[in-house]
């Protein structure tokens, strides 16, 4: 080993792709060697969505190339594990100290700590982990709305002399419009692959031929770029073409637009190519220019400084065992329709999984009110469902998915995070989408061959959990509705049929 001119190895995880944050903000090309590791654990051994894997690998390789172009010495290493990769770097450069920003999952934090890596604070969020802890320790319940209002005040966003701009903190009531009829939605951007992208794709295709069981989904679809320039173009496109209508239609699920007016920024933010601070600043400037309603602006700000920060804070506030929660003792195997949309006749579920297969992304309402709702109502095992979500979504970081699935999606934490389960029958989907019009089931019916499976299962779910939920004032009203059902025995019998057929992929 030649004597190294370097004094530190800076390890850059695949979701810290930003020169201005994390460990790179202290990087010195004369003294530091920068290391990225593409571990086999990350690329194989699980049923990764092809689009997701392509995006994660290609964006990291693009980032490594951009650092090299700026004069850094960079090693992009392929190795069985991250630790093996760091050992390879030490074999080349000597036993240097390794520095990294605190990683984004418990598993990686433990592995790097044990290896003796020095951490700097993870500043990829607007709220540090200690700061969230300070807030959470003062709460009786972790109501996101309270956190969000505190964030607005702390960060000085949409506040005027300590009061919310426009006199209200929350414009949710204005932001729940169903899909408009005969509407033309803006087309999302598309991105041409370059030489690095094509190389990554060829490698994935090669591996997929050898191990088809390790991959699912189509792609790349071209709707996700892999560079900082692409991320900035997406931000600009959102501000110019979608921001104005984001709020009113943020919960709508039109069959004829997969992207609606959503920003499509979460994949870029979750790998570090965009930072929440620059997104919020760009939004603030655009809002001040006029033409965007306060309801739209507030709805978007809520997602970024509220939900996103809250979910990350909750992930680190609860400990690692939170991931294994199964408070409703849900133990059904994952339904076949989650891998194969042809395994169901439910138009909503089939359409959402088809969209997912195509692009590895659907917005927050199909995630919550179709996919997670169905997993909740059918008592799918939370960890099986969580694994599927992690493998499927392009923006599915561990910190995102654990609280979103365990706490919010399938209420597996006995209400530690959200005070009520997000359970709904077909009426919600019928109101917020146009899926039901083309479906062989009737969202209003709970019994009979053409009863909507969600409607049947919704009542059956409340019935099965009647005792536990009766004490929860946020859902007690829904549970009381059971008393008005004269056909409960038929509902229970139909629910058994529905569950058996969904398990067999025949409904
Ligand atoms: Fe989904 Fe039921 Fe509507 Fe069919 S009727 S699309 S299953 S909610």
């Amino acid at each position: 080993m030649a004597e190294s001119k370097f004094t530190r190895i800076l390890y850059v995880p695949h979701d810290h792709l930003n020169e201005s944050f994390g460990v790179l903000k202290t990087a010195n090309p004369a003294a530091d060697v920068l290391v990225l590791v593409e571990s086999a654990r990350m690329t194989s051994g699980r049923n990764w969505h092809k689009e997701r894997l392509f995006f994660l690998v290609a964006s990291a390789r693009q980032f490594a190339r951009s650092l090299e172009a700026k004069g850094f010495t960079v090693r992009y290493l392929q190795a069985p594990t991250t630790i093996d990769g760091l050992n390879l770097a030490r074999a080349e450069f000597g036993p240097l100290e390794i520095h990294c920003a605190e990683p984004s999952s418990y598993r990686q934090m433990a592995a790097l700590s044990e290896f003796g890596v020095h951490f700097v604070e993870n500043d990829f969020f607007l709220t540090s982990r200690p700061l969230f802890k300070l807030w959470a320790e003062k709460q009786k319940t972790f109501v996101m709305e309270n956190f969000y209002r505190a964030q607005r005040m702390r960060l000085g966003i949409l506040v005027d002399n300590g009061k919310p701009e426009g006199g209200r903190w929350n414009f949710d009531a204005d932001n729940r419009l169903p899909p408009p009829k005969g509407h033309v939605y803006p087309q999302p951007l598309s991105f041409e692959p370059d030489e690095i992208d094509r190389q990554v794709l060829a490698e994935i295709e090669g591996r997929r031929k050898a191990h088809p069981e390790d991959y699912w989904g189509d792609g790349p679809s071209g709707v996700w770029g892999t560079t900082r320039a692409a991320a900035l173009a997406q931000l600009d496109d959102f501000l110019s073409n979608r921001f104005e209508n984001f709020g009113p239609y943020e919960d709508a699920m039109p069959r004829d637009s997969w992207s609606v007016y959503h920003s499509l920024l979460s994949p870029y933010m979750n790998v570090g190519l965009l930072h929440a601070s620059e997104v919020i600043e760009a939004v603030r400037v655009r809002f001040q220019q006029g033409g965007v309603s306060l309801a739209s602006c507030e709805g978007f700000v809520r997602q970024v400084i509220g939900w996103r920060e809250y979910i990350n804070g909750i992930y680190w506030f609860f400990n690692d065992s939170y991931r294994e929660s199964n408070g409703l003792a849900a133990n059904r195997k994952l339904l076949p329709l989650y891998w194969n949309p042809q395994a169901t006749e439910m138009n909503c579920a089939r359409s959402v999984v088809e969209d997912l297969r195509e692009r590895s992304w659907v917005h927050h309402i199909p995630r919550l009110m179709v996919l997670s709702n169905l997993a909740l109502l059918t008592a799918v095992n939370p960890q099986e469902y969580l694994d599927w979500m992690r493998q499927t979504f392009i923006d599915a970081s561990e910190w995102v998915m654990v609280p979103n699935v365990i706490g919010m999606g399938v209420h597996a934490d006995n209400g530690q995070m959200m005070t009520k389960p997000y359970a709904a029958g077909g009426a919600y989907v019928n109101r917020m989408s146009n899926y039901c019009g083309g479906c062989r089931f009737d969202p209003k019916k709970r019994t009979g061959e053409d009863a909507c499976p969600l409607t049947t299962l919704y009542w059956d779910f409340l019935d099965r959990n009647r005792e536990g939920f009766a004490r929860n004032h946020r859902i007690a009203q829904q549970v009381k509705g059971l008393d008005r059902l004269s056909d409960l025995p038929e509902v229970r019998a139909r629910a058994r049929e529905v569950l058996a057929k969904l398990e067999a992929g025949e409904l």
Side-chain angles (χ1 to χ4, degrees):
M1 188 192 315
E3 199 179 326
S4 176
K5 66 170 182 161
F6 297 108
T7 55
R8 299 190 304 174
I9 290 170
L10 304 187
Y11 167 57
V12 184
H14 275 49
D15 54 1
H16 289 189
L17 308 183
N18 199 308
E19 280 172 73
S20 307
F21 294 91
V23 78
L24 289 180
K25 67 177 181 286
T26 66
N28 172 1
D32 299 321
V33 57
L34 314 186
V35 173
L36 291 89
V37 182
E38 186 183 307
S39 72
R41 192 184 183 280
M42 179 187 155
T43 56
S44 59
R46 299 173 82 181
N47 207 3
W48 294 116
H49 195 298
K50 192 172 144 199
E51 177 105 83
R52 165 176 163 69
L53 189 56
F54 166 77
F55 173 74
L56 291 181
V57 171
S59 54
R61 289 196 199 176
Q62 297 275 11
F63 184 65
R65 174 76 66 89
S66 73
L67 293 170
E68 261 171 358
K70 289 185 174 157
F72 284 103
T73 298
V74 182
R75 291 293 178 273
Y76 186 96
L77 301 166
Q78 290 177 305
T81 67
T82 301
I83 301 303
D84 293 329
L86 295 175
N87 275 324
L88 284 176
R90 276 191 168 155
E92 181 178 354
F93 294 101
L96 305 179
E97 280 191 356
I98 301 177
H99 294 251
C100 174
E102 291 162 332
S104 322
S105 75
Y106 280 105
R107 187 191 54 75
Q108 205 181 23
M109 190 90 174
L112 294 179
S113 296
E114 198 181 314
F115 193 61
V117 169
H118 300 263
F119 293 126
V120 299
E121 189 175 69
N122 182 313
D123 55 1
F124 287 86
F125 295 84
L126 302 169
T127 319
S128 69
R129 295 170 195 176
L131 189 60
F132 185 87
K133 188 163 178 266
L134 271 181
W135 174 82
E137 281 172 347
K138 289 194 205 121
Q139 311 302 308
K140 282 203 187 102
T141 55
F142 307 113
V143 177
M144 200 294 287
E145 183 69 24
N146 296 339
F147 171 75
Y148 166 64
R149 291 180 188 186
Q151 289 282 84
R152 290 263 297 273
M153 291 294 281
R154 179 174 75 85
L155 299 167
I157 296 172
L158 298 181
V159 288
D160 201 0
N161 281 327
K163 297 263 186 311
E165 212 167 308
R168 281 155 63 191
W169 291 105
N170 185 324
F171 286 79
D172 269 3
D174 301 8
N175 284 351
R176 289 193 180 126
L177 296 186
K181 287 202 172 79
H183 190 73
V184 179
Y185 297 89
Q187 278 298 313
L189 295 179
S190 70
F191 299 93
E192 282 296 312
D194 70 1
E195 172 219 329
I196 293 178
D197 296 333
R198 281 194 292 274
Q199 171 65 28
V200 171
L201 185 58
E203 287 175 30
I204 292 176
E205 281 302 345
R207 286 201 295 260
R208 176 141 106 156
K209 277 200 185 107
H211 296 283
E213 71 283 1
D214 280 357
Y215 304 94
W216 86 288
D218 304 334
S221 59
V223 298
W224 309 110
T226 56
T227 61
R228 164 88 175 153
L232 289 170
Q234 193 73 265
L235 174 59
D236 188 51
D237 184 58
F238 170 62
L239 296 174
S240 306
N241 301 320
R242 283 188 285 247
F243 186 25
E244 185 187 344
N245 284 316
F246 168 79
Y249 302 117
E250 67 173 311
D251 287 1
M253 298 182 279
R255 183 71 194 98
D256 45 345
S257 173
W258 63 271
S259 49
V260 201
Y261 287 94
H262 285 266
S263 70
L264 311 181
L265 296 177
S266 58
Y268 306 108
M269 293 176 77
N270 290 1
V271 297
L273 286 174
L274 287 178
H275 194 273
S277 57
E278 67 186 325
V279 172
I280 285 296
E281 177 57 14
V283 158
R284 191 189 64 76
V285 170
R286 175 68 190 84
F287 179 61
Q288 279 181 349
Q289 287 166 353
V292 174
S293 67
L294 180 57
S296 250
C297 187
E298 189 280 315
F300 185 77
V301 164
R302 166 184 299 269
Q303 296 295 332
V304 177
I305 73 164
W307 277 112
R308 186 169 188 274
E309 299 284 317
Y310 172 83
I311 289 293
N312 182 58
I314 285 281
Y315 176 77
W316 289 103
F317 182 68
F318 292 154
N319 62 34
D320 196 16
S321 63
Y322 181 75
R323 195 186 199 289
E324 305 308 320
S325 310
N326 189 358
L328 294 176
N331 286 313
R332 193 175 309 282
K333 284 186 76 60
L334 192 72
L335 304 173
L337 65 87
Y338 285 96
W339 295 118
N340 174 16
Q342 301 315 317
T344 184
E345 296 173 283
M346 298 171 67
N347 200 25
C348 52
R350 189 177 56 223
S351 305
V352 170
V353 177
E354 273 169 357
D355 277 351
L356 261 179
R357 191 173 60 183
E358 213 172 307
R359 298 175 207 89
S360 185
W361 185 94
V362 294
H363 73 71
H364 64 148
I365 296 300
R367 294 185 200 206
L368 182 65
M369 301 310 289
V370 177
L371 299 171
S372 298
N373 186 31
L374 186 61
L376 171 72
L377 300 183
T378 54
V380 165
N381 176 267
Q383 285 67 42
E384 272 205 42
Y385 179 61
L386 172 58
D387 285 346
W388 176 81
M389 294 285 280
R390 285 271 290 121
Q391 290 162 40
T392 296
F393 279 88
I394 195 163
D395 54 8
S397 311
E398 177 84 354
W399 63 267
V400 175
M401 283 301 167
V402 170
N404 264 312
V405 168
I406 298 295
M408 192 166 186
V410 297
H411 202 69
D413 65 348
N414 278 328
Q416 267 181 283
M417 181 176 130
M418 310 305 291
T419 43
K420 67 162 193 172
Y422 278 81
Y428 178 87
V429 176
N430 193 25
R431 186 166 66 250
M432 295 309 296
S433 78
N434 42 24
Y435 292 133
C436 300
C439 186
R440 92 153 176 86
F441 302 110
D442 181 342
K444 293 197 189 68
K445 285 186 146 181
R446 54 183 177 261
T447 58
E449 274 299 304
D450 61 344
C452 167
L454 289 181
T455 305
T456 307
L457 293 170
Y458 168 73
W459 289 113
D460 183 63
F461 169 77
L462 293 180
D463 183 42
R464 277 187 279 120
N465 293 287
R466 187 195 284 252
E467 217 176 293
F469 291 162
R471 289 184 299 275
N472 179 341
H473 73 280
R474 292 213 56 212
I475 196 168
Q477 207 53 31
Q478 283 168 270
V479 174
K480 266 201 182 134
L482 284 167
D483 299 335
R484 293 193 296 274
L485 298 193
S486 53
D487 56 355
L488 198 50
E490 289 87 349
V491 171
R492 289 179 187 137
R494 175 65 185 161
R496 279 197 296 275
E497 266 172 37
V498 166
L499 287 168
K501 286 187 173 173
L502 286 173
E503 276 180 343
E506 292 169 356
L507 189 86

